[in-house]
Amino acid sequence: MGSVDANHVGFIGLGAMGLPMAGHLATKLPAETHVYVFDVVQTLLDQICKQHPEKVTACSSAREVAERSQIIFTMLPEGRHSKAVYLDGPDSICASDVSNKLLVDCSTIDAATSLEVKDHIKEKYPSASFYDAPVSGGVVGAQKGTIAFFFGCREDDENLPRLMRLLEMMGKQIIPCGGPSLGLAAKLSNNYLSGIIAIAASEAYDMGMRSGLDPRTLYKVFSAGTAQNTISDRFCPVPGVYPEAPSSRGYTNGFKVQLMKKDFGLAMELAKQAGSRNVLGAAGLETYQKASEDERCRDLDNRVVFRYLGGNEDWQKDS
Ligand code: NAD
């Protein structure tokens, strides 16, 4: 390992994604590299420190993490949390001198907030570097270390090789997206497409099934035809068609419908700012908003839109 890897690493936000990501760093970093962590939930701090007593130290604020680490990752719910952790008040990251440090926000947030944080840091600490690096692959991917990072930087960014070694400990693919906030634009474009396909696939299965088709036949048709897509192939919205899909496990262990609603809303903001004509966007957002509020769907994998739209989940019994 090079000298940079001997520098200490910080991780702030130990939720469903952050806890396993920080856990990979603690397990895979060399013995001399320490991981400093912070979350507002004390039990999460206790949990990771208990799992890695030699390697992980809990801090009392984001500021303390920044003071003790050279490279800092954040994994927070929304833009307001990222802004608070980086910029707001005496306990924030920027309350400490982050000159020459690398700051990587893996949260899925709006591009405007991310650029605001970046600009503030650039102005106050010109030698520091801040990146947006949202991830895809879900909680299971974070646990297995197979997530993809969409990195808001150019392929020839001078810090990328140094960061790559850490990112590879947490994920499988690192895709430089071209520049600041473009990691977020990539992530939101991806989730917009994934969300629209889930609705379209649910509608198409429902329509075909109501017309008398067996969903297993439709599955084969969609896979062989021009409609072929990953949502139908591996995340089939109809329960019992593809055994590994969340739908076949009661729509559990997937990407929660509320998170899809959040990302879909951010994608619509992006579309507005970028000036793209997303004609399916309004219907998509309304569908995820209403499905998130529907008690039959809330907290379940977003492919539960099949249920929300009235699809027949008991087709095996009925046939
Ligand atoms: P989560 O709510 O489980 O975790 C967020 C953590 O941040 C919590 O532990 C919370 O206590 C902590 N936090 C909030 N404010 C804080 C503050 N001021 N200081 C320190 N800690 C603070 O969320 P998650 O599922 O881990 O998601 C994190 C981000 O990753 C989100 O932006 C989400 O959209 C994105 N994401 C999630 C998934 C998924 O499947 N869960 C997949 C891809 C991307």
Side-chain angles (χ1 to χ4, degrees), residues 143-188:
Q143 288 162 349
K144 289 186 177 167
T146 56
I147 49 177
F149 289 88
F150 307 138
F151 225 86
C153 74
R154 289 159 47 124
E155 273 185 36
D156 61 358
D157 190 289
E158 59 176 3
N159 293 318
L160 203 53
R162 186 178 166 192
L163 286 166
M164 215 61 154
R165 283 189 251 172
L166 294 173
L167 298 171
E168 281 168 355
M169 292 176 189
M170 298 183 277
K172 258 203 168 145
Q173 280 201 75
I174 294 102
I175 303 176
C177 294
S181 86
L182 294 182
L184 283 165
K187 162 81 181 169
L188 297 177

Side-chain angles (χ1 to χ4, degrees), residues 15-17 39-41 44 75-77 85 108 135 138 255 259 262:
M17 297 293 289
D39 194 291
V40 285
V41 178
L44 293 168
M75 192 46 158
L76 301 155
V85 164
T108 304
V135 310
F255 186 64
L259 282 177
K262 179 197 121 181

